[in-house]
Amino acid sequence: MFLDLDEIGKFNAHKTSGNFLMEFQVKNVPSERIATQKILSVIGECLDNFGPGCVGVQKILNARCPLVRFSHQASGFQCDLTTNNRIALKSSELLYIYGALDSRVRALVFSIRCWARAHSLTSSIPGAWITNFSLTMMVIFFLQRRSPPILPTLDYLKTLADAEDKCIIEGHNCTFICDLNRIKPSQNTETLELLLKEFFEYFGNFAFNKNSINIRQGREQNKPEPSPLHIQNPFETSLNISKNVSQSQLQKFVDLARESAWILHQEDKDHPSPASNQPWGLAALLLPSVAKRVSHDKKKRKKPASERIKNLLESIKSSPENSTNTNGKRTVSTQA
């Protein structure tokens, strides 16, 4: 959500009432950014104290784009509230267009984000890790790189736009076609299973040290800056949306991507049965043992995925957290 304050400045500041002149004034602040921070700080306090169902209010005012983050208890939604951030609104609209073009897009994005959260690659707390937005951009870029492409480039969507689609925000060209019926469907028929495996394979071997990710053109480009991970902002093209990501966090992502690709390749060879008691497919990639393995000494010999999964299941069965209820049934306590 964003609060549009631009219209306020267009109001007539002087109004007359009888023989009196009314003048509306605001306090002077050193910059528009500081004004935005002060406004969001007050809004955050109001939400925290008076917003029905609003919990977990965080005022993240020092971010490049200051925001207030909170959760709505009744609906379960998490919200990022900003002011005068119309470019972010166009970015959300673009993601909606891409998600609606092909049924595989949202499923793959959800799977990758779920995988990243399971291994602490992402976090709700600002820091040096990859964000969900960056992951979504990586999925879109990957789907643009398939042969034939599953998703069109942003520049192509711009060429299809007509006059009513034209959108210039703060000097940035945010134009793209909004009519889904005018975008030709992809001829690519690859399955989600294959795409998931290929995603890990692709980014597990991506040259992050020299190339950047750019969904406008859908091709790898030389990095314009030395940041470990460079993902070009689709509209503010001079910005890197992943500038916060550290080298160690990027390496953790690469290691986990390679590990996950290896697990899926092993499953292709072994053809695991869904009727077996062992996790398989996406479920096998969400096991915490995969993340622990990356943190171990790389000089140690790596155990096969099947053996690690077996050890995990055995440890769960023998865990002291397991208990037997009065009906003689075994229960296992878990944490989300």
Side-chain angles (χ1 to χ4, degrees):
M1 297 174 63
F2 86 103
L3 180 63
D4 191 352
L5 301 176
D6 286 344
E7 296 297 322
I8 294 178
K10 300 177 183 178
F11 293 154
N12 187 354
H14 298 280
K15 294 185 178 181
T16 57
S17 178
N19 296 325
F20 298 95
L21 175 67
M22 293 190 297
E23 185 174 288
F24 297 88
Q25 296 180 333
V26 295
K27 286 186 176 181
N28 288 327
V29 290
S31 67
E32 185 176 343
R33 177 179 173 83
I34 292 177
T36 297
Q37 290 173 325
K38 288 180 177 293
I39 291 169
L40 285 174
S41 180
V42 173
I43 292 175
E45 289 295 325
C46 292
L47 284 172
D48 200 15
N49 289 287
F50 307 111
C54 297
V55 297
V57 177
Q58 302 175 59
K59 294 185 288 185
I60 309 173
L61 304 180
N62 292 323
R64 187 187 68 83
C65 181
L67 60 95
V68 172
R69 175 171 294 164
F70 63 94
S71 296
H72 186 243
Q73 208 166 26
S75 64
F77 290 148
Q78 181 175 294
C79 176
D80 286 354
L81 175 65
T82 61
T83 66
N84 296 342
N85 194 17
R86 290 186 295 145
I87 288 182
L89 193 65
K90 289 300 291 185
S91 297
S92 296
E93 186 179 353
L94 177 64
L95 295 186
Y96 172 82
I97 293 293
Y98 275 130
L101 281 176
D102 193 288
S103 61
R104 292 167 291 183
V105 177
R106 289 172 181 163
L108 188 60
V109 168
F110 178 83
S111 299
I112 297 299
R113 286 170 60 163
C114 184
W115 166 83
R117 183 176 59 182
H119 300 301
S120 302
L121 287 171
T122 56
S123 173
S124 60
I125 304 171
W129 28 78
I130 299 174
T131 65
N132 281 326
F133 183 53
S134 293
L135 282 175
T136 304
M137 289 291 106
M138 294 172 78
V139 172
I140 292 173
F141 181 77
F142 165 73
L143 295 177
Q144 291 174 338
R145 300 287 296 165
R146 304 308 293 166
S147 180
I150 294 176
L151 291 178
T153 65
L154 179 52
D155 280 349
Y156 177 73
L157 295 181
K158 179 183 172 183
T159 63
L160 297 178
D162 50 28
E164 62 182 21
D165 293 317
K166 186 176 181 180
C167 179
I168 307 295
I169 302 175
E170 299 172 7
H172 301 288
N173 195 331
C174 303
T175 302
F176 56 87
I177 189 168
C178 297
D179 186 357
L180 291 170
N181 295 323
R182 293 177 54 194
I183 305 174
K184 188 177 179 180
S186 171
Q187 300 300 310
N188 186 298
T189 59
E190 292 174 312
T191 65
L192 270 170
E193 291 82 0
L194 176 63
L195 290 173
L196 182 66
K197 182 175 65 176
E198 291 293 324
F199 175 89
F200 293 129
E201 186 79 26
Y202 181 77
F203 283 111
N205 296 281
F206 190 85
F208 289 107
N209 60 324
K210 64 177 182 179
N211 290 335
S212 67
I213 295 169
N214 176 4
I215 71 165
R216 290 204 72 93
Q217 299 178 5
R219 58 186 178 88
E220 302 168 12
Q221 293 181 317
N222 291 332
K223 286 199 299 186
E225 60 178 39
S227 298
L229 175 61
H230 190 279
I231 303 176
Q232 185 188 70
N233 186 299
F235 299 121
E236 298 176 271
T237 55
S238 63
L239 298 180
N240 173 13
I241 66 171
S242 55
K243 193 177 181 67
N244 63 300
V245 179
S246 67
Q247 182 61 49
S248 61
Q249 286 296 313
L250 176 61
Q251 189 59 49
K252 180 180 178 182
F253 169 84
V254 171
D255 290 342
L256 281 165
R258 291 175 177 175
E259 173 80 4
S260 298
W262 181 80
I263 290 175
L264 294 177
H265 275 297
Q266 290 299 113
E267 287 189 352
D268 285 346
K269 295 178 181 179
D270 299 339
H271 300 290
S273 170
S276 68
N277 293 327
Q278 293 187 351
W280 61 285
L282 181 60
L285 304 183
L286 305 182
L287 293 177
S289 58
V290 179
K292 290 178 181 178
R293 175 179 174 184
V294 174
S295 63
H296 287 170
D297 185 356
K298 292 185 178 180
K299 294 181 181 179
K300 294 183 179 179
R301 184 177 180 180
K302 296 182 179 181
K303 296 180 180 180
S306 58
E307 185 176 342
R308 289 185 294 102
I309 296 170
K310 181 180 179 180
N311 291 340
L312 176 70
L313 291 173
E314 290 177 352
S315 66
I316 293 175
K317 292 178 182 178
S318 60
S319 171
E321 293 182 352
N322 293 357
S323 60
T324 304
N325 60 23
T326 54
N327 296 324
K329 295 181 179 178
R330 184 173 294 278
T331 59
V332 181
S333 61
T334 60
Q335 276 190 325

